[in-house]
Amino acid sequence: MADFWKITFDLLNGFQTTFLIWALTLVFALPLGLVISFGSMSKFTPLRYLVKTFVWIIRGIPLMLQIFIIFYVPGFIFGAPVASRFTSAIIAFTINYACYFSEIYRGGIESISRSQYEAGQVLGMTKPQVFFRVILLQVIKRITAPMSNEVITLVKDTALVRVIMVVEIIKVAEDIATTGLIWPLFYTGLYYLMFVGMLTLLFGYIERRLDYFKA
Amino acid sequence: MAILEVQNVGKWFGSTEVLRDISFVLEKGETLAVIGSSGSGKTTLLRGLNFLERLDTGRIILRGETLFDAARNQDDEQSLREKRLHFGLVFQSFNLFPQYTALENIVLARELAARKLQSYKKNKKSVLDEIRREGMELLDQMGLSAKRDYYPHQLSGGQQQRVAIARALALKPDILCFDEPTSALDPELTGEVLNVIRGLSEKNTTMIIVTHEMPFARQVADTVLFMDGGLVVEYGSPQDVLENPLNDRTKRFLERYANE
């Protein structure tokens, strides 16, 4: 029984890293995705193609490979490796998820009728005012469901960081498994389930909060 | 002096000429009805006046001052925005902001504009209170005070369009434009919107109304302009244009409506 509590606590420690990667990735990737989506909708054709090519590459190769690249390549080429394993992981996840988010944002933004922009324009509103006061909330309402998918997928993708030896919950459990104790590995699933359960409730709440209008 | 002079306005979409050499004059307090079949350029004309489309030729003169001249360079965002404020536009499909209540739709743009005022910095609350009070007055005028806190999707089409009219009026435009304001409405709802516009006309609001409602045009318009193929075919008093048209195209158009 003492074992059980100790392992529960060790796994919780591992899950802290999982949570931190998840949270930091969101903090950086949510706004970066918006910048990328503006780039992919730019009227300046070279920029638009540049951004679209970048998104194609990032979505086209495995996240695991991107983690390796961010961790090893700067060291090979510039002789200046990224400061830490953890930082490399955050950079790789941020870039990867920002690209996925950018496509969701783009879909949401482009789905808003041009007449909403024009209605704001004829009322003398500035372009940023139209975007932030009129368009944005309608976009948020429309992308809540696809975003919840990505945010939940991210929770589980964090397990990939073990490839550059960042120790998150599954790595902790695996290390325990090498001592002959296998059940903690399966026990980790419960942590994910609990956390994703909370996220599901949160997204349900957001959807209900935005239910007051139709768009 | 006429409040609005439109001189030789033209517009191309690619290789298609949608407006050619449109000229008319509007006196303060008058109502101009623009009629014509779909595709005749009526909506493009309104969009040009509201600076949603850049006209390729011609000039727009407001109270003797050149507001737009196609020969000049394009205005920057800021001056474009100021110029737009001389005109109000009520859309065919209302285009209310779905996440705001009726009252919020009406006051939003004014609240945002008020932030630049000196008095706003000093006394934010009284400025906002005044804007809301005026917004409520407009809702009242539209017969919608009870719907103040309703969201657009909770209102009928006719109610939504009336909120849209109040929203345009809130900015006190010199000229209020309507782009087929009843075309998206069920027939039984057009009356309430037309009544509101009729009321505005009686209060000498300067208006340009693109419409398919011929009896209504006859009733409220001081001048009627019939467009076909991007051209002004006939322009004059409602009696002249609608009852004694000179041009064959006008006659054929009106007959089609009379037969409907």
Side-chain angles (χ1 to χ4, degrees), chain B residues 121-140:
Chain B
K121 281 155 201 154
K122 279 190 212 130
N123 202 341
K124 188 172 157 179
K125 191 172 177 308
S126 77
V127 172
L128 292 183
D129 282 349
E130 175 61 18
I131 291 172
R132 287 178 77 84
R133 197 188 56 74
E134 284 180 31
M136 271 313 290
E137 250 171 44
L138 282 167
L139 263 183
D140 200 31

mmCIF file of all heavy atoms in Angstrom, chain B residues 121-140:
data_model
loop_
_atom_site.group_PDB
_atom_site.id
_atom_site.type_symbol
_atom_site.label_atom_id
_atom_site.label_comp_id
_atom_site.label_asym_id
_atom_site.label_seq_id
_atom_site.Cartn_x
_atom_site.Cartn_y
_atom_site.Cartn_z
ATOM 1 N N LYS B 121 -12.444 61.072 -22.099
ATOM 2 C CA LYS B 121 -11.361 60.849 -21.139
ATOM 3 C C LYS B 121 -11.718 61.457 -19.789
ATOM 4 O O LYS B 121 -11.383 60.927 -18.744
ATOM 5 C CB LYS B 121 -10.060 61.433 -21.688
ATOM 6 C CG LYS B 121 -9.436 60.496 -22.724
ATOM 7 C CD LYS B 121 -8.533 61.208 -23.708
ATOM 8 C CE LYS B 121 -8.365 60.380 -24.966
ATOM 9 N NZ LYS B 121 -8.059 61.185 -26.131
ATOM 10 N N LYS B 122 -12.398 62.601 -19.845
ATOM 11 C CA LYS B 122 -12.745 63.283 -18.601
ATOM 12 C C LYS B 122 -13.912 62.603 -17.898
ATOM 13 O O LYS B 122 -13.883 62.361 -16.716
ATOM 14 C CB LYS B 122 -13.115 64.743 -18.891
ATOM 15 C CG LYS B 122 -11.890 65.630 -19.038
ATOM 16 C CD LYS B 122 -12.303 67.110 -19.085
ATOM 17 C CE LYS B 122 -11.352 67.896 -19.968
ATOM 18 N NZ LYS B 122 -12.044 68.723 -20.951
ATOM 19 N N ASN B 123 -14.935 62.328 -18.678
ATOM 20 C CA ASN B 123 -16.148 61.825 -18.045
ATOM 21 C C ASN B 123 -16.763 60.678 -18.845
ATOM 22 O O ASN B 123 -17.786 60.822 -19.511
ATOM 23 C CB ASN B 123 -17.153 62.964 -17.891
ATOM 24 C CG ASN B 123 -18.152 62.641 -16.803
ATOM 25 O OD1 ASN B 123 -18.307 61.468 -16.435
ATOM 26 N ND2 ASN B 123 -18.828 63.653 -16.299
ATOM 27 N N LYS B 124 -16.114 59.541 -18.723
ATOM 28 C CA LYS B 124 -16.482 58.377 -19.506
ATOM 29 C C LYS B 124 -17.955 58.011 -19.325
ATOM 30 O O LYS B 124 -18.674 57.756 -20.278
ATOM 31 C CB LYS B 124 -15.582 57.228 -19.056
ATOM 32 C CG LYS B 124 -15.685 55.987 -19.882
ATOM 33 C CD LYS B 124 -14.602 55.006 -19.457
ATOM 34 C CE LYS B 124 -15.004 53.607 -19.846
ATOM 35 N NZ LYS B 124 -13.993 52.610 -19.487
ATOM 36 N N LYS B 125 -18.376 58.011 -18.070
ATOM 37 C CA LYS B 125 -19.707 57.501 -17.791
ATOM 38 C C LYS B 125 -20.796 58.349 -18.439
ATOM 39 O O LYS B 125 -21.735 57.814 -19.038
ATOM 40 C CB LYS B 125 -19.918 57.430 -16.268
ATOM 41 C CG LYS B 125 -21.177 56.658 -15.921
ATOM 42 C CD LYS B 125 -21.306 56.406 -14.447
ATOM 43 C CE LYS B 125 -22.612 55.688 -14.137
ATOM 44 N NZ LYS B 125 -23.792 56.342 -14.702
ATOM 45 N N SER B 126 -20.670 59.652 -18.353
ATOM 46 C CA SER B 126 -21.739 60.493 -18.884
ATOM 47 C C SER B 126 -21.779 60.410 -20.416
ATOM 48 O O SER B 126 -22.850 60.468 -21.017
ATOM 49 C CB SER B 126 -21.581 61.935 -18.413
ATOM 50 O OG SER B 126 -20.576 62.590 -19.141
ATOM 51 N N VAL B 127 -20.605 60.259 -21.033
ATOM 52 C CA VAL B 127 -20.584 60.123 -22.494
ATOM 53 C C VAL B 127 -21.300 58.833 -22.902
ATOM 54 O O VAL B 127 -22.163 58.820 -23.775
ATOM 55 C CB VAL B 127 -19.132 60.129 -23.032
ATOM 56 C CG1 VAL B 127 -19.100 59.780 -24.513
ATOM 57 C CG2 VAL B 127 -18.492 61.486 -22.799
ATOM 58 N N LEU B 128 -20.953 57.742 -22.218
ATOM 59 C CA LEU B 128 -21.567 56.453 -22.557
ATOM 60 C C LEU B 128 -23.067 56.457 -22.253
ATOM 61 O O LEU B 128 -23.862 55.893 -23.010
ATOM 62 C CB LEU B 128 -20.871 55.317 -21.806
ATOM 63 C CG LEU B 128 -19.432 55.031 -22.239
ATOM 64 C CD1 LEU B 128 -18.862 53.839 -21.479
ATOM 65 C CD2 LEU B 128 -19.340 54.772 -23.736
ATOM 66 N N ASP B 129 -23.423 57.082 -21.143
ATOM 67 C CA ASP B 129 -24.851 57.162 -20.794
ATOM 68 C C ASP B 129 -25.634 57.891 -21.874
ATOM 69 O O ASP B 129 -26.737 57.481 -22.244
ATOM 70 C CB ASP B 129 -25.031 57.890 -19.451
ATOM 71 C CG ASP B 129 -24.705 56.983 -18.273
ATOM 72 O OD1 ASP B 129 -24.552 55.766 -18.520
ATOM 73 O OD2 ASP B 129 -24.593 57.479 -17.139
ATOM 74 N N GLU B 130 -25.048 58.981 -22.370
ATOM 75 C CA GLU B 130 -25.716 59.763 -23.395
ATOM 76 C C GLU B 130 -25.892 58.939 -24.682
ATOM 77 O O GLU B 130 -26.951 58.945 -25.309
ATOM 78 C CB GLU B 130 -24.902 61.045 -23.666
ATOM 79 C CG GLU B 130 -25.402 61.915 -24.809
ATOM 80 C CD GLU B 130 -26.825 62.433 -24.592
ATOM 81 O OE1 GLU B 130 -27.300 62.410 -23.442
ATOM 82 O OE2 GLU B 130 -27.453 62.840 -25.585
ATOM 83 N N ILE B 131 -24.845 58.186 -25.048
ATOM 84 C CA ILE B 131 -24.925 57.351 -26.249
ATOM 85 C C ILE B 131 -26.023 56.301 -26.094
ATOM 86 O O ILE B 131 -26.821 56.061 -27.000
ATOM 87 C CB ILE B 131 -23.563 56.679 -26.539
ATOM 88 C CG1 ILE B 131 -22.545 57.738 -26.964
ATOM 89 C CG2 ILE B 131 -23.696 55.610 -27.612
ATOM 90 C CD1 ILE B 131 -21.120 57.234 -27.090
ATOM 91 N N ARG B 132 -26.075 55.701 -24.917
ATOM 92 C CA ARG B 132 -27.099 54.681 -24.684
ATOM 93 C C ARG B 132 -28.499 55.281 -24.670
ATOM 94 O O ARG B 132 -29.451 54.672 -25.166
ATOM 95 C CB ARG B 132 -26.838 53.951 -23.355
ATOM 96 C CG ARG B 132 -25.663 53.001 -23.429
ATOM 97 C CD ARG B 132 -25.422 52.335 -22.082
ATOM 98 N NE ARG B 132 -26.391 51.279 -21.829
ATOM 99 C CZ ARG B 132 -26.267 50.037 -22.285
ATOM 100 N NH1 ARG B 132 -25.231 49.713 -23.016
ATOM 101 N NH2 ARG B 132 -27.179 49.129 -22.015
ATOM 102 N N ARG B 133 -28.593 56.495 -24.102
ATOM 103 C CA ARG B 133 -29.895 57.148 -24.060
ATOM 104 C C ARG B 133 -30.388 57.416 -25.494
ATOM 105 O O ARG B 133 -31.531 57.142 -25.839
ATOM 106 C CB ARG B 133 -29.799 58.457 -23.277
ATOM 107 C CG ARG B 133 -31.140 59.024 -22.827
ATOM 108 C CD ARG B 133 -30.993 60.410 -22.239
ATOM 109 N NE ARG B 133 -30.350 61.345 -23.162
ATOM 110 C CZ ARG B 133 -30.952 61.869 -24.241
ATOM 111 N NH1 ARG B 133 -32.191 61.569 -24.509
ATOM 112 N NH2 ARG B 133 -30.296 62.692 -25.030
ATOM 113 N N GLU B 134 -29.490 57.924 -26.321
ATOM 114 C CA GLU B 134 -29.864 58.172 -27.712
ATOM 115 C C GLU B 134 -30.188 56.863 -28.443
ATOM 116 O O GLU B 134 -31.093 56.816 -29.268
ATOM 117 C CB GLU B 134 -28.743 58.916 -28.441
ATOM 118 C CG GLU B 134 -28.684 60.392 -28.084
ATOM 119 C CD GLU B 134 -27.565 61.118 -28.825
ATOM 120 O OE1 GLU B 134 -27.236 60.717 -29.963
ATOM 121 O OE2 GLU B 134 -27.019 62.078 -28.261
ATOM 122 N N GLY B 135 -29.437 55.818 -28.106
ATOM 123 C CA GLY B 135 -29.709 54.511 -28.690
ATOM 124 C C GLY B 135 -31.106 54.025 -28.331
ATOM 125 O O GLY B 135 -31.838 53.492 -29.170
ATOM 126 N N MET B 136 -31.473 54.220 -27.066
ATOM 127 C CA MET B 136 -32.813 53.824 -26.620
ATOM 128 C C MET B 136 -33.891 54.634 -27.337
ATOM 129 O O MET B 136 -34.942 54.105 -27.703
ATOM 130 C CB MET B 136 -32.950 54.013 -25.098
ATOM 131 C CG MET B 136 -32.539 52.821 -24.252
ATOM 132 S SD MET B 136 -33.203 51.247 -24.831
ATOM 133 C CE MET B 136 -34.944 51.464 -24.444
ATOM 134 N N GLU B 137 -33.619 55.918 -27.538
ATOM 135 C CA GLU B 137 -34.567 56.765 -28.256
ATOM 136 C C GLU B 137 -34.820 56.219 -29.666
ATOM 137 O O GLU B 137 -35.958 56.181 -30.128
ATOM 138 C CB GLU B 137 -34.001 58.190 -28.369
ATOM 139 C CG GLU B 137 -34.736 59.212 -27.532
ATOM 140 C CD GLU B 137 -34.000 60.546 -27.522
ATOM 141 O OE1 GLU B 137 -33.551 60.985 -28.599
ATOM 142 O OE2 GLU B 137 -33.861 61.122 -26.439
ATOM 143 N N LEU B 138 -33.727 55.815 -30.305
ATOM 144 C CA LEU B 138 -33.855 55.282 -31.658
ATOM 145 C C LEU B 138 -34.660 53.983 -31.660
ATOM 146 O O LEU B 138 -35.522 53.758 -32.506
ATOM 147 C CB LEU B 138 -32.468 55.038 -32.269
ATOM 148 C CG LEU B 138 -31.757 56.292 -32.767
ATOM 149 C CD1 LEU B 138 -30.294 55.997 -33.056
ATOM 150 C CD2 LEU B 138 -32.442 56.815 -34.028
ATOM 151 N N LEU B 139 -34.368 53.114 -30.680
ATOM 152 C CA LEU B 139 -35.122 51.860 -30.574
ATOM 153 C C LEU B 139 -36.608 52.157 -30.391
ATOM 154 O O LEU B 139 -37.472 51.494 -30.972
ATOM 155 C CB LEU B 139 -34.622 51.049 -29.382
ATOM 156 C CG LEU B 139 -33.607 49.956 -29.653
ATOM 157 C CD1 LEU B 139 -33.288 49.224 -28.373
ATOM 158 C CD2 LEU B 139 -34.114 48.980 -30.706
ATOM 159 N N ASP B 140 -36.860 53.169 -29.574
ATOM 160 C CA ASP B 140 -38.224 53.577 -29.304
ATOM 161 C C ASP B 140 -38.901 54.045 -30.592
ATOM 162 O O ASP B 140 -40.030 53.670 -30.905
ATOM 163 C CB ASP B 140 -38.192 54.716 -28.271
ATOM 164 C CG ASP B 140 -39.527 54.872 -27.578
ATOM 165 O OD1 ASP B 140 -40.209 53.839 -27.427
ATOM 166 O OD2 ASP B 140 -39.877 55.996 -27.196
#
